[in-house]
Amino acid sequence: MLPTLAVGAVGGGIAYALDVPLPWLLGALIAATLLSLGGLRLRAPTTSRKAVLVVIGVMLGAAFTPDMAGDVALWGTSLVLMLLSTAVMMAFSVWFGRRVAGYSMDTAMYSGVPGGVSAVTLMAADSQADLRMVGLTHAVRILILLLAIPPALDLVGHVSLQARSLTLGEWLAVPELGDTLLLIGAGVIGMWLGRRLHLPNPLLFGPVLLSGALHVTGVTEAAIPPTIVALAQIIIGVSVGVRFGGTSLASVGVNLVMAVLQAVALLLITVVAAWLVHAITGYSAAALLLAYMPGGAPELSLVALSLGIDPAFVTSHHLLRISVLVLVLPALLRIAMRRTHNA
């Protein structure tokens, strides 16, 4: 695991020195992906990723503040429109998987779900879906989304992509002891709460709920130190990159092309949907873009947090989308299979 993190840290450090947007995340992501595709076996940081999901959850909870009440109506409108855009993405993905890529209905359905890769993979394991294709499609989609974020946000404007220079004191800053204990408690108890409530991705969304409650009620205003934020970005970046380990471009061939085409098409649907909702509600186009992107809740929420693009808004949208998809996916698959057999 340490060599993997070292690769991510070096990649992130180089990107930071070159003033690349989202340096620690994208630098680690690109370095791990290139080495994995080149044949180097990097160990997935499974345990570290679980811990980082809890940390990200606590960080995202800090974005919920007492003065958020005025945004409820706008949020409600956006959440409804997000579900509509998700339905469009899902319909397109299943059509693409069946008609263009030639997948089975199970594979087209699970590989086409716009988000919730962990939950979707577990559900796909109990079906006749091709798990290799489901995993490849989701991995490629998350990779393309993360790489597309800088140009996409530059397109919509309204946000600075350059990381703010920090002094050594800011890098090493930590909250006071009382606040530190509250944040740790939010992570540990939130993780337990997420599992008890059977939330999708409980390690992320459980701490979000508890940390959010502490921050929105004004109990604490503490935030996670920037050093830990950078480390979280490195671990998330390499976690995506190592998914391509053991995969050669020659072996996946057409399937890789299909995954890329589907991801690009979903990204275009996202951009159109974000612009339409921005025109209707006047809400930040950048926040809408990150909130509507199809997948990678931890990754996209961390991007929103790192760039200061309304992380509470982005996280809330991904939580709702994943929850609805996990609930309705079995019924959708049964209906689709029934129609396929009757055709």
Side-chain angles (χ1 to χ4, degrees), residues 115-251:
V117 59
S118 299
V120 167
T121 302
L122 289 175
M123 296 169 71
D126 295 327
S127 72
Q128 301 300 313
D130 183 340
L131 294 182
R132 182 167 169 268
M133 281 313 308
V134 172
L136 176 67
T137 302
H138 281 276
V140 168
R141 183 185 305 152
I142 293 173
L143 174 66
I144 288 179
L145 289 178
L146 292 177
L147 293 177
I149 283 174
L153 289 179
D154 188 55
L155 176 66
V156 301
H158 313 296
V159 62
S160 171
L161 296 176
Q162 297 304 320
R164 183 174 67 88
S165 297
L166 300 176
T167 65
L168 180 61
E170 289 175 316
W171 275 112
L172 300 178
V174 295
E176 295 182 358
L177 178 60
D179 288 325
T180 299
L181 293 176
L182 283 173
L183 295 179
I184 293 174
V188 174
I189 300 174
M191 178 175 56
W192 171 84
L193 180 65
R195 286 172 169 160
R196 291 286 294 176
L197 295 177
H198 301 290
L199 294 176
N201 207 334
L203 299 182
L204 175 70
F205 291 119
V208 167
L209 293 180
L210 194 52
S211 176
L214 291 175
H215 285 85
V216 81
T217 55
V219 173
T220 181
E221 297 179 355
I224 298 291
T227 303
I228 297 180
V229 175
L231 178 60
Q233 292 185 53
I234 290 172
I235 293 175
I236 290 295
V238 296
S239 296
V240 175
V242 297
R243 294 178 187 176
F244 295 92
T247 301
S248 67
L249 296 178
S251 66

Side-chain angles (χ1 to χ4, degrees), residues 14-40:
I14 293 173
Y16 184 81
L18 296 176
D19 288 327
V20 173
L22 295 169
W24 300 108
L25 176 65
L26 294 184
L29 168 68
I30 293 170
T33 301
L34 291 177
L35 290 177
S36 295
L37 289 175
L40 182 63

Side-chain angles (χ1 to χ4, degrees), residues 295-313:
E299 293 84 0
L300 294 171
S301 296
L302 183 58
V303 169
L305 182 75
S306 302
L307 295 177
I309 306 175
D310 208 340
F313 177 86

